[in-house]
Amino acid sequence: MESKPFSTPTRPATVIIGTQFGDEGKGKLVDYLSDKYDIVVRYQGGANAGHTICFDNKSVVLHLIPSGIFHKDCVCVIGNGVVIDPVALLDEIRKIEELGYEVKGRLFISHNAHLIMPYHKLLDSLHETAQGDQKIGTTGRGIGPSYEDKFARKGIRVVDLLNMKVLQEKLRENLESKNKLLKNIYERDEIDVETMLREYAEFDKIIDPYITNTQLYLNQKLKEGKTVLLEGAQGCLLDVDHGTYPYVTSSNPTSGGACTGSGIAPNYVGKVIGVVKAYMTRVGNGAFPTELFDETGEALGRIGHEFGATTGRKRRCGWIDLVALRYSLAVNGVTEIALTKLDVLDTFDEVKACISYMLDGREIHDFPTDHQTLSRVTPVYTTLKGWMASNANARSFSDMHPEAQNYVAFLERELAVPVTFVSVGPGREETVFR
Ligand code: GDP
Ligand code: IMO
Ligand code: MG
C-alpha cells in the first residue's frame, strides 16, 4: 500500500507572553504587530490586566479587549480561558467606540468563558483584607474567586446568559453558598438574586451579538489560512503553576495557556515572543530578588512611570534578573525576545544584571519557584557600562548607542535567545525591529 505523504502543520499562530511579573509592555507589542495578523486573541486572566497602547497622541489602557482593536482590519477574540467582568467589558467597548473604532462585528467572545460576578469582586477584596500581612495584593477584580468557581465546576459562563432559566438556576445555587459566606464569615449583607438577575439580563441584551463558539471560529479561520496572535496577560512569574506561588494570579499566562485558553492546538503555534522589560517590576506582594530599596529603584520607577495600569499602585522596581528570565524563557519555549523600556536606562551611568543567586552561602543558577526559598536568595550582579544617551529616536539597531547595543548583545548571549524588537518609548513607532 502506498504511504500517504506526511503533512507538515503550518504554524500561523504566534504567542506573546510576559516573561517577568507582568507589565512588560505586552500591549504595546501586540498593537505594534497587529497589522501583520488577522486575529488577536486574549486567552487567560481578565480585567486584572492593564495593557497600555500609545498611538496618535493617545494613551489607552485595555483590560479585556485584545490590543489589536485599534487596527481596523484586525478581528479580536476573547477566548474561553478569560474570566469576563461584564461591567468592565461594556465600559471598554464604549471607550473604544468613543475613540471612533467599530467593535461590533470585530469582537467575538467565547461562549465558554466564565463570568466574573459582583460577588467574586466582593469576595476578592474581603478575602484579601482578612489575610492582613499575608495578602497576595490582588488587583481586586474578582479573578481568583471566579477561577475558583470555574475549577469547582460551579461557574457561570457566557453561554448561560443566552438562557435566562439556566442563569436563574445557576445564580440561585451560587448565591446560596456565597450568601452563607458573606453573612457568616464576613458579616456582610446577603446579595439579592432578583436584582442580580435583572442586571445580567441587561448585559445579555448588549453582549449577545458578540457571543461565539470561538474554538470553532478560530480553527475554521486557521484552516482558511488566517494568522493569529495570542496575547498573554500577566507574566510567567505570576503563573499559577510556574510562578512564585502563592503570590501569583489564578491562571496560566505561560505559552501553554494560550492553547487551553483559546482552543488552538499547539502544532499551530510557531513563534513565542517573550516580552522582557529591560529591568524588573512587580506589583503586589511576593518575592522579588532584585528589588531595589534605594535611590536607583526610585529612579527606575520615576523614569519608567511605574504605576499599575489597572490599580494605579506603585510598582516595585529592580535590576533585570537573568536567573528568573532563563527559567521563564525555558518554560514558555520563547523563540525571540522583545526588549522593552530600554530608554528608561538611558540616564544610568551603569546598568546591572543579576546573573546568579546566593543561597545559604552557595551560588545557584536555577530559579527556585518555591516562595520560601526564593525569599532567601540574594542576587549576584554583573555591571555593564551605561550609555548616558537617548535612544528614543533609534529606529534601527545601528541607530542605538554602542553601549546600549552592547547591553542587548549581552542579554542575547546570557539568555541564548535573539532579541528581535527593542522598544525605546511607549509610542507605536518608538520601536526598533531587527
Ligand atoms: P503590559 O501590561 O505588559 O501591556 O504593560 P503595561 O501597559 O501595564 O505597562 C507598560 C508601560 O510602559 C505602559 O505605560 C507603556 O505605555 C509603557 N511602555 C511600553 N514600552 C515602553 C518603552 O519602550 N519605553 C517606555 N518609556 N515606556 C514603554
Ligand atoms: P498585565 O497583563 C502585573 C498581580 C497582582 C497580584 C497578583 C494576583 O497588565 O501584565 P489577581 O488580581 O490576578 O488575583 O492578582 O497578580 N497581577 C498583575 N501584575 N500586571 C498584571 O497584568 C497583573 N495581573 C495581576 O498585582 O500580585
Ligand atoms: Mg499591565
Side-chain angles (χ1 to χ4, degrees), residues 335-347:
T335 56
E336 52 189 278
I337 288 172
L339 184 67
T340 60
K341 303 194 90 158
L342 188 76
D343 55 299
V344 176
L345 302 180
D346 284 350
T347 53

Side-chain angles (χ1 to χ4, degrees), residues 17-18 22-30 48-54 59-62 67 231-234 275 277 279 281 303-310 315 339-344 422-427 430-431:
I17 54 108
D23 304 327
E24 297 88 352
K26 299 175 290 295
K28 169 178 168 167
L29 185 73
V30 171
N48 49 351
H51 294 183
T52 315
I53 299 165
C54 302
S59 175
V60 189
V61 179
L62 296 173
S67 302
E231 174 178 2
Q234 291 79 57
V275 188
K277 198 182 274 190
Y279 50 98
T281 61
I303 301 165
H305 303 290
E306 295 297 352
F307 292 91
T310 297
R315 295 174 181 150
L339 184 67
T340 60
K341 303 194 90 158
L342 188 76
D343 55 299
V344 176
V422 182
S423 177
V424 291
E430 292 172 305
T431 312

Side-chain angles (χ1 to χ4, degrees), residues 236-253:
C236 176
L237 305 178
L238 291 173
D239 185 286
V240 69
D241 284 285
H242 305 291
T244 56
Y245 191 89
Y247 295 94
V248 292
T249 192
S250 301
S251 68
N252 289 119

Side-chain angles (χ1 to χ4, degrees), residues 413-425:
R413 257 192 329 271
E414 288 289 322
L415 299 171
V417 175
V419 174
T420 50
F421 299 88
V422 182
S423 177
V424 291

